[in-house]
Amino acid sequence: MSQDIDTKPSTRAGITVGTSPWGPDDQLGALNYLKEDVRVDMLARADASTLYDLSVDYFVGMPSFQGAGDPGYQIFLSHTPQGTLVDNLNGAGDAVNRHVCYSGDVVFMYTHTGTHIDALNHFGVDGEIYNNFGVEENLGSRSWTKGGAEQIPPIITRGVLIDVAKLHGVECLPDSYPITVDDLQGALGAAGLQLNEGDVPFVRTGRMRYWPDGAKTLGNPPGLSLDAARWLTDQKIAAVGSDQECVEVGPSEHEDNWLPGHCHFLAETGVPMIELLNLEELSADGVDEFCLMAAPIRLRGASGAPMRPIAMALRD
Amino acid sequence: MSQDIDTKPSTRAGITVGTSPWGPDDQLGALNYLKEDVRVDMLARADASTLYDLSVDYFVGMPSFQGAGDPGYQIFLSHTPQGTLVDNLNGAGDAVNRHVCYSGDVVFMYTHTGTHIDALNHFGVDGEIYNNFGVEENLGSRSWTKGGAEQIPPIITRGVLIDVAKLHGVECLPDSYPITVDDLQGALGAAGLQLNEGDVPFVRTGRMRYWPDGAKTLGNPPGLSLDAARWLTDQKIAAVGSDQECVEVGPSEHEDNWLPGHCHFLAETGVPMIELLNLEELSADGVDEFCLMAAPIRLRGASGAPMRPIAMALRD
Amino acid sequence: MSQDIDTKPSTRAGITVGTSPWGPDDQLGALNYLKEDVRVDMLARADASTLYDLSVDYFVGMPSFQGAGDPGYQIFLSHTPQGTLVDNLNGAGDAVNRHVCYSGDVVFMYTHTGTHIDALNHFGVDGEIYNNFGVEENLGSRSWTKGGAEQIPPIITRGVLIDVAKLHGVECLPDSYPITVDDLQGALGAAGLQLNEGDVPFVRTGRMRYWPDGAKTLGNPPGLSLDAARWLTDQKIAAVGSDQECVEVGPSEHEDNWLPGHCHFLAETGVPMIELLNLEELSADGVDEFCLMAAPIRLRGASGAPMRPIAMALRD
Amino acid sequence: MSQDIDTKPSTRAGITVGTSPWGPDDQLGALNYLKEDVRVDMLARADASTLYDLSVDYFVGMPSFQGAGDPGYQIFLSHTPQGTLVDNLNGAGDAVNRHVCYSGDVVFMYTHTGTHIDALNHFGVDGEIYNNFGVEENLGSRSWTKGGAEQIPPIITRGVLIDVAKLHGVECLPDSYPITVDDLQGALGAAGLQLNEGDVPFVRTGRMRYWPDGAKTLGNPPGLSLDAARWLTDQKIAAVGSDQECVEVGPSEHEDNWLPGHCHFLAETGVPMIELLNLEELSADGVDEFCLMAAPIRLRGASGAPMRPIAMALRD
């Protein structure tokens, strides 16, 4: 598991913002690689006997990134059966409310909590997000007007599990382990697979084995080195995902960028990132190739959104 | 479009709580009707060339039910590129933050906002939700411990559009129009379809044609009469949906219950309800039968959750 | 109640940002006019037999300005006695929680809800707030770093009721009535008072007579014309207040500024504004001059903060 | 600083709910001890030359009790000058918004954050809060309908600093130190004071010396033993306060009650509790007796509310 010294990345990431080859109005980025024929093929080959739910659920006290002041997940009841008898907020009156038990609730969350997708506007460089949308013209009081989560279409395509933890024969990669291009190629090779245009690779570190133990799940994540991230985007992937909080290795290996992988995927190449995926069952069952179905909640302008990706193994 | 006087429902709904035939621990209710063979068949027949996205997006000012004090949808930025230069909440320092543009946001919403599913605990009767889970033992400070949205599995099954607006030749049914059993049977007959066990019928009133005009979309909805709701659950449907905010007609036709349809579907028969579906494209394209794929965000214990249902027409 | 045509304000407000005479670091603005000797005198003369509470309480459904998307006031229980028995969030266990009834709650509010004070950073002009603090250097992701509510010291000084509604012999001034310099001088004259440096005048329109009827309380408020606002700041007042939502008349009489009074008070002259004051009792009792005690909650960086001002009549 | 073994409290607190001597509708409890003559006397003797602000300010990341899932303090901008140019949420248009810099913000907080007062409904026993208001009849969906923070009048009375840290000659009492009756009497004796009916004693542990270092400020607080709490309420105090998060010692010394001091003060004797007071300046200046002015924000039904208490030394 040692790293060859001459593969050490340079100390500067040197990310620049990407201009979309799909035109000046494009907000989809690499999602343009999604193709109807792949979707048709995947659904035709999907083994629907087992659905793999790759999401985690949301609950008060769940681990989440709070290091920069963002709130933890919260849910509150806005209506309770007993409370409704007292406050009659629905105006139905005592007799009806004694019979009917009304419950309602509200949620409050950072959009990067739980299993979610990062939208393209989550990270930019030098004043612009992907496809040169500038802060000044496109950042409203409440959210961006470009590159938000509502732009992301339903993703039905080929998913590929790149099981780096399994390649190394460990339950979980060590803290801050930078996944290399060799690791990716090794894991793909072990599975007998290669990446195609429009694929969505899910890189497994093993971290979600410990969920929801925040002490073991968050902080100093093993994840993609910038070289590995660049190799992936060279394959024309439509999106990328991982079973940790930021897909890339942390802390950053590059002095000019605290999250160079985010800047590369989102800002430079227009690749949305899916985080905190539960890949444990896919790994245990050896499902390295699958039909992926994933569609985030359409939060207009948001830098991220909850999603519940589903995978199905492929029939031969 | 007149209603025969002798089909007028009695003035009392008389709903009682349902005991699950699937055992005392069951929290799935009618979702137990979902079957693997139907799922396999639907995916095999799905025409993946067109994806129908049945959801709406979330934005500040969007219409939502606020009549009982619940908040409207809110999103706020927790990190902005320019603000990060000032506050350095991420600790990356001035040089890095001048290069890297970090944006983050939080959302705050009633769980019954936008396209969403009602979980079984949203409504109960006489102190219990579906399958006799009592308020006293199962309602926590923050949410129910039973019958919440996280219990709902991914729903991949046969969806059926019951296009009552089209049957009546109108853009939208009139306010407070109570959809009858005849309406349902008429619309199904016009489409040459019948309901099977495990289906999810989507009843179209036409209301979402006006979205997001809240004045025309919310309040006094045309929707299912209680008789019509009962006829649907007799068909062993797995869930039900509509293009308005409460599936059922409003205001209630029954003096003992302000939302008898909710009580019948959720509490009496364990049928989750999908609301504020955009059915306009399905209707325009005449897609009356489809492969439905829908999975709510897994908000533990919540009485509802956002979801983004996708439909695909079926090949012959 | 007619307005002389030649006192009609020009159509441009022409506000410019003010530079503090108290130095480049000053964030207090006109609050510097507060003086110890006045405070000592006021407390010495205060008639403590009656406390006038000039605030309103906060409740779900209370009127508030939501025209620009801001949320209405919300409160939620985070702990209930019965819920704690179910969820044991405090870890105290069943026996203890059966005995001890724990309740807790959270609030969520726009900082300009209910009786509150506007901090100097609420409005600026041409990229700067009062005393030339620029947006670029001082606006963080979460709040301003200058001119926030936490800068406001406890205000104990002479308060003066300028009862314009009473001057005109009306319960409430008509919608959008622009209060003139003559009105202010007339009301002061009727009370036999004049303004001194460091005073806080409270201008009464009568609007809070209708609280909490939002339809009559909010929108198109009678309030200060820009000329009247300028006359007040010429008197070296320390702060200003009114019994409506924005102190000034609405809508704006000036084409270049939608809230010229805010820009004049906050940005040009550094005068904090107290809004939605309940002045009904002061007016009814004819208390035109009083010892004012008011201290906002110290929300760091916030553009406004709730406060609960108290008034006491002065002994002869 | 040793504790005599035979003063060790029994292991059961044995708190019962108090019935108000001021009648069945009373929601003020010990606040009824506030008297006009004391108020008049205090204001007459107040030395207004120096105002002691006993509050802390609110900021993202401030320490707060989150052990039972409650959220930390949050503030978000709802309007920014630059964002308003992009989104025009106020409808004023580009030219006006380029000139006028509009900022607004929202806050979200647990009501027991920062310097605040606990209302009587925060803790009850055996299904009832102070004066026998039962959970079933008085706990709404959103808040209690009795005993809330809006019931608390402005408190202007004699405040007394009981400086236990100074008595012991320490910067701060050790973790979990239970303050005894002897400590209270010793500190009062050292100051040459005794408690009178209607007083509000502030018990100083020294903890706020470390604010806002959460690691030193929160958890295992030194504070009042139950015996000491009982001795205080025997003096007919109107409210009680301290410079830590719960006034009483933690963890509890009593097996039947996790917060017996809360239950005694709030539920048994109707005494509101003021927490997280900054008493450092009063202590440094030796101001042991003072005119206290304190009025919480009137959050209807809330179990607590922010407040900003002000103290003034008394003239001879």
mmCIF file with all atom_site columns, all heavy atoms in Angstrom, chain A residues 235-248:
data_model
loop_
_atom_site.group_PDB
_atom_site.id
_atom_site.type_symbol
_atom_site.label_atom_id
_atom_site.label_alt_id
_atom_site.label_comp_id
_atom_site.label_asym_id
_atom_site.label_entity_id
_atom_site.label_seq_id
_atom_site.pdbx_PDB_ins_code
_atom_site.Cartn_x
_atom_site.Cartn_y
_atom_site.Cartn_z
_atom_site.occupancy
_atom_site.B_iso_or_equiv
_atom_site.pdbx_formal_charge
_atom_site.auth_seq_id
_atom_site.auth_comp_id
_atom_site.auth_asym_id
_atom_site.auth_atom_id
_atom_site.pdbx_PDB_model_num
ATOM 1   N N   . GLN A 1 235 ? -11.755 9.745  -18.742 1.00 0.00 ? 235 GLN A N   1
ATOM 2   C CA  . GLN A 1 235 ? -12.580 8.651  -19.284 1.00 0.00 ? 235 GLN A CA  1
ATOM 3   C C   . GLN A 1 235 ? -13.980 9.141  -19.670 1.00 0.00 ? 235 GLN A C   1
ATOM 4   O O   . GLN A 1 235 ? -14.832 8.326  -20.028 1.00 0.00 ? 235 GLN A O   1
ATOM 5   C CB  . GLN A 1 235 ? -12.705 7.503  -18.272 1.00 0.00 ? 235 GLN A CB  1
ATOM 6   C CG  . GLN A 1 235 ? -11.404 7.093  -17.585 1.00 0.00 ? 235 GLN A CG  1
ATOM 7   C CD  . GLN A 1 235 ? -10.269 6.818  -18.540 1.00 0.00 ? 235 GLN A CD  1
ATOM 8   O OE1 . GLN A 1 235 ? -10.447 6.066  -19.507 1.00 0.00 ? 235 GLN A OE1 1
ATOM 9   N NE2 . GLN A 1 235 ? -9.103  7.441  -18.318 1.00 0.00 ? 235 GLN A NE2 1
ATOM 10  N N   . LYS A 1 236 ? -14.232 10.445 -19.534 1.00 0.00 ? 236 LYS A N   1
ATOM 11  C CA  . LYS A 1 236 ? -15.538 11.009 -19.876 1.00 0.00 ? 236 LYS A CA  1
ATOM 12  C C   . LYS A 1 236 ? -16.680 10.427 -19.032 1.00 0.00 ? 236 LYS A C   1
ATOM 13  O O   . LYS A 1 236 ? -17.757 10.081 -19.556 1.00 0.00 ? 236 LYS A O   1
ATOM 14  C CB  . LYS A 1 236 ? -15.831 10.841 -21.374 1.00 0.00 ? 236 LYS A CB  1
ATOM 15  C CG  . LYS A 1 236 ? -14.738 11.501 -22.228 1.00 0.00 ? 236 LYS A CG  1
ATOM 16  C CD  . LYS A 1 236 ? -15.148 11.652 -23.666 1.00 0.00 ? 236 LYS A CD  1
ATOM 17  C CE  . LYS A 1 236 ? -14.092 12.474 -24.423 1.00 0.00 ? 236 LYS A CE  1
ATOM 18  N NZ  . LYS A 1 236 ? -14.362 12.576 -25.852 1.00 0.00 ? 236 LYS A NZ  1
ATOM 19  N N   . ILE A 1 237 ? -16.423 10.321 -17.776 1.00 0.00 ? 237 ILE A N   1
ATOM 20  C CA  . ILE A 1 237 ? -17.481 9.901  -16.859 1.00 0.00 ? 237 ILE A CA  1
ATOM 21  C C   . ILE A 1 237 ? -18.532 11.015 -16.763 1.00 0.00 ? 237 ILE A C   1
ATOM 22  O O   . ILE A 1 237 ? -18.241 12.188 -16.959 1.00 0.00 ? 237 ILE A O   1
ATOM 23  C CB  . ILE A 1 237 ? -16.919 9.585  -15.466 1.00 0.00 ? 237 ILE A CB  1
ATOM 24  C CG1 . ILE A 1 237 ? -16.159 10.795 -14.887 1.00 0.00 ? 237 ILE A CG1 1
ATOM 25  C CG2 . ILE A 1 237 ? -15.996 8.367  -15.527 1.00 0.00 ? 237 ILE A CG2 1
ATOM 26  C CD1 . ILE A 1 237 ? -15.700 10.624 -13.447 1.00 0.00 ? 237 ILE A CD1 1
ATOM 27  N N   . ALA A 1 238 ? -19.767 10.614 -16.427 1.00 0.00 ? 238 ALA A N   1
ATOM 28  C CA  . ALA A 1 238 ? -20.861 11.594 -16.334 1.00 0.00 ? 238 ALA A CA  1
ATOM 29  C C   . ALA A 1 238 ? -20.963 12.186 -14.932 1.00 0.00 ? 238 ALA A C   1
ATOM 30  O O   . ALA A 1 238 ? -21.436 13.310 -14.748 1.00 0.00 ? 238 ALA A O   1
ATOM 31  C CB  . ALA A 1 238 ? -22.183 10.937 -16.707 1.00 0.00 ? 238 ALA A CB  1
ATOM 32  N N   . ALA A 1 239 ? -20.553 11.410 -13.942 1.00 0.00 ? 239 ALA A N   1
ATOM 33  C CA  . ALA A 1 239 ? -20.561 11.844 -12.549 1.00 0.00 ? 239 ALA A CA  1
ATOM 34  C C   . ALA A 1 239 ? -19.615 10.916 -11.814 1.00 0.00 ? 239 ALA A C   1
ATOM 35  O O   . ALA A 1 239 ? -19.144 9.930  -12.390 1.00 0.00 ? 239 ALA A O   1
ATOM 36  C CB  . ALA A 1 239 ? -21.964 11.783 -11.944 1.00 0.00 ? 239 ALA A CB  1
ATOM 37  N N   . VAL A 1 240 ? -19.329 11.228 -10.553 1.00 0.00 ? 240 VAL A N   1
ATOM 38  C CA  . VAL A 1 240 ? -18.436 10.378 -9.775  1.00 0.00 ? 240 VAL A CA  1
ATOM 39  C C   . VAL A 1 240 ? -19.028 10.256 -8.383  1.00 0.00 ? 240 VAL A C   1
ATOM 40  O O   . VAL A 1 240 ? -19.797 11.124 -7.955  1.00 0.00 ? 240 VAL A O   1
ATOM 41  C CB  . VAL A 1 240 ? -17.009 10.980 -9.732  1.00 0.00 ? 240 VAL A CB  1
ATOM 42  C CG1 . VAL A 1 240 ? -16.971 12.293 -8.954  1.00 0.00 ? 240 VAL A CG1 1
ATOM 43  C CG2 . VAL A 1 240 ? -15.996 9.996  -9.156  1.00 0.00 ? 240 VAL A CG2 1
ATOM 44  N N   . GLY A 1 241 ? -18.689 9.169  -7.684  1.00 0.00 ? 241 GLY A N   1
ATOM 45  C CA  . GLY A 1 241 ? -19.196 9.032  -6.323  1.00 0.00 ? 241 GLY A CA  1
ATOM 46  C C   . GLY A 1 241 ? -18.234 8.283  -5.443  1.00 0.00 ? 241 GLY A C   1
ATOM 47  O O   . GLY A 1 241 ? -17.285 7.660  -5.926  1.00 0.00 ? 241 GLY A O   1
ATOM 48  N N   . SER A 1 242 ? -18.478 8.377  -4.136  1.00 0.00 ? 242 SER A N   1
ATOM 49  C CA  . SER A 1 242 ? -17.650 7.643  -3.200  1.00 0.00 ? 242 SER A CA  1
ATOM 50  C C   . SER A 1 242 ? -18.398 7.441  -1.889  1.00 0.00 ? 242 SER A C   1
ATOM 51  O O   . SER A 1 242 ? -19.435 8.059  -1.647  1.00 0.00 ? 242 SER A O   1
ATOM 52  C CB  . SER A 1 242 ? -16.323 8.389  -2.956  1.00 0.00 ? 242 SER A CB  1
ATOM 53  O OG  . SER A 1 242 ? -15.441 7.599  -2.181  1.00 0.00 ? 242 SER A OG  1
ATOM 54  N N   . ASP A 1 243 ? -17.842 6.577  -1.073  1.00 0.00 ? 243 ASP A N   1
ATOM 55  C CA  . ASP A 1 243 ? -18.455 6.251  0.220   1.00 0.00 ? 243 ASP A CA  1
ATOM 56  C C   . ASP A 1 243 ? -17.825 7.071  1.343   1.00 0.00 ? 243 ASP A C   1
ATOM 57  O O   . ASP A 1 243 ? -17.679 6.586  2.457   1.00 0.00 ? 243 ASP A O   1
ATOM 58  C CB  . ASP A 1 243 ? -18.339 4.752  0.487   1.00 0.00 ? 243 ASP A CB  1
ATOM 59  C CG  . ASP A 1 243 ? -16.887 4.284  0.531   1.00 0.00 ? 243 ASP A CG  1
ATOM 60  O OD1 . ASP A 1 243 ? -15.984 5.027  0.064   1.00 0.00 ? 243 ASP A OD1 1
ATOM 61  O OD2 . ASP A 1 243 ? -16.652 3.173  1.026   1.00 0.00 ? 243 ASP A OD2 1
ATOM 62  N N   . GLN A 1 244 ? -17.463 8.280  1.045   1.00 0.00 ? 244 GLN A N   1
ATOM 63  C CA  . GLN A 1 244 ? -16.981 9.184  2.092   1.00 0.00 ? 244 GLN A CA  1
ATOM 64  C C   . GLN A 1 244 ? -17.493 10.597 1.779   1.00 0.00 ? 244 GLN A C   1
ATOM 65  O O   . GLN A 1 244 ? -18.238 10.790 0.818   1.00 0.00 ? 244 GLN A O   1
ATOM 66  C CB  . GLN A 1 244 ? -15.456 9.093  2.259   1.00 0.00 ? 244 GLN A CB  1
ATOM 67  C CG  . GLN A 1 244 ? -14.646 9.051  0.983   1.00 0.00 ? 244 GLN A CG  1
ATOM 68  C CD  . GLN A 1 244 ? -14.116 10.412 0.611   1.00 0.00 ? 244 GLN A CD  1
ATOM 69  O OE1 . GLN A 1 244 ? -14.896 11.364 0.483   1.00 0.00 ? 244 GLN A OE1 1
ATOM 70  N NE2 . GLN A 1 244 ? -12.827 10.492 0.377   1.00 0.00 ? 244 GLN A NE2 1
ATOM 71  N N   . GLU A 1 245 ? -17.075 11.561 2.590   1.00 0.00 ? 245 GLU A N   1
ATOM 72  C CA  . GLU A 1 245 ? -17.774 12.846 2.554   1.00 0.00 ? 245 GLU A CA  1
ATOM 73  C C   . GLU A 1 245 ? -17.335 13.790 1.444   1.00 0.00 ? 245 GLU A C   1
ATOM 74  O O   . GLU A 1 245 ? -17.987 14.817 1.223   1.00 0.00 ? 245 GLU A O   1
ATOM 75  C CB  . GLU A 1 245 ? -17.676 13.562 3.897   1.00 0.00 ? 245 GLU A CB  1
ATOM 76  C CG  . GLU A 1 245 ? -16.335 14.241 4.198   1.00 0.00 ? 245 GLU A CG  1
ATOM 77  C CD  . GLU A 1 245 ? -15.431 13.432 5.101   1.00 0.00 ? 245 GLU A CD  1
ATOM 78  O OE1 . GLU A 1 245 ? -15.425 12.172 4.972   1.00 0.00 ? 245 GLU A OE1 1
ATOM 79  O OE2 . GLU A 1 245 ? -14.736 14.031 5.923   1.00 0.00 ? 245 GLU A OE2 1
ATOM 80  N N   . CYS A 1 246 ? -16.190 13.476 0.769   1.00 0.00 ? 246 CYS A N   1
ATOM 81  C CA  . CYS A 1 246 ? -15.749 14.458 -0.227  1.00 0.00 ? 246 CYS A CA  1
ATOM 82  C C   . CYS A 1 246 ? -15.107 13.837 -1.473  1.00 0.00 ? 246 CYS A C   1
ATOM 83  O O   . CYS A 1 246 ? -14.446 14.538 -2.244  1.00 0.00 ? 246 CYS A O   1
ATOM 84  C CB  . CYS A 1 246 ? -14.808 15.478 0.401   1.00 0.00 ? 246 CYS A CB  1
ATOM 85  S SG  . CYS A 1 246 ? -13.292 14.798 1.037   1.00 0.00 ? 246 CYS A SG  1
ATOM 86  N N   . VAL A 1 247 ? -15.252 12.541 -1.666  1.00 0.00 ? 247 VAL A N   1
ATOM 87  C CA  . VAL A 1 247 ? -14.737 11.810 -2.820  1.00 0.00 ? 247 VAL A CA  1
ATOM 88  C C   . VAL A 1 247 ? -13.205 11.842 -2.856  1.00 0.00 ? 247 VAL A C   1
ATOM 89  O O   . VAL A 1 247 ? -12.561 10.812 -3.029  1.00 0.00 ? 247 VAL A O   1
ATOM 90  C CB  . VAL A 1 247 ? -15.320 12.327 -4.159  1.00 0.00 ? 247 VAL A CB  1
ATOM 91  C CG1 . VAL A 1 247 ? -14.693 11.596 -5.354  1.00 0.00 ? 247 VAL A CG1 1
ATOM 92  C CG2 . VAL A 1 247 ? -16.841 12.172 -4.202  1.00 0.00 ? 247 VAL A CG2 1
ATOM 93  N N   . GLU A 1 248 ? -12.640 12.999 -2.639  1.00 0.00 ? 248 GLU A N   1
ATOM 94  C CA  . GLU A 1 248 ? -11.182 13.135 -2.739  1.00 0.00 ? 248 GLU A CA  1
ATOM 95  C C   . GLU A 1 248 ? -10.512 12.905 -1.377  1.00 0.00 ? 248 GLU A C   1
ATOM 96  O O   . GLU A 1 248 ? -11.157 12.862 -0.338  1.00 0.00 ? 248 GLU A O   1
ATOM 97  C CB  . GLU A 1 248 ? -10.833 14.524 -3.266  1.00 0.00 ? 248 GLU A CB  1
ATOM 98  C CG  . GLU A 1 248 ? -11.224 15.664 -2.349  1.00 0.00 ? 248 GLU A CG  1
ATOM 99  C CD  . GLU A 1 248 ? -10.918 17.030 -2.979  1.00 0.00 ? 248 GLU A CD  1
ATOM 100 O OE1 . GLU A 1 248 ? -9.746  17.341 -3.189  1.00 0.00 ? 248 GLU A OE1 1
ATOM 101 O OE2 . GLU A 1 248 ? -11.881 17.768 -3.253  1.00 0.00 ? 248 GLU A OE2 1
#
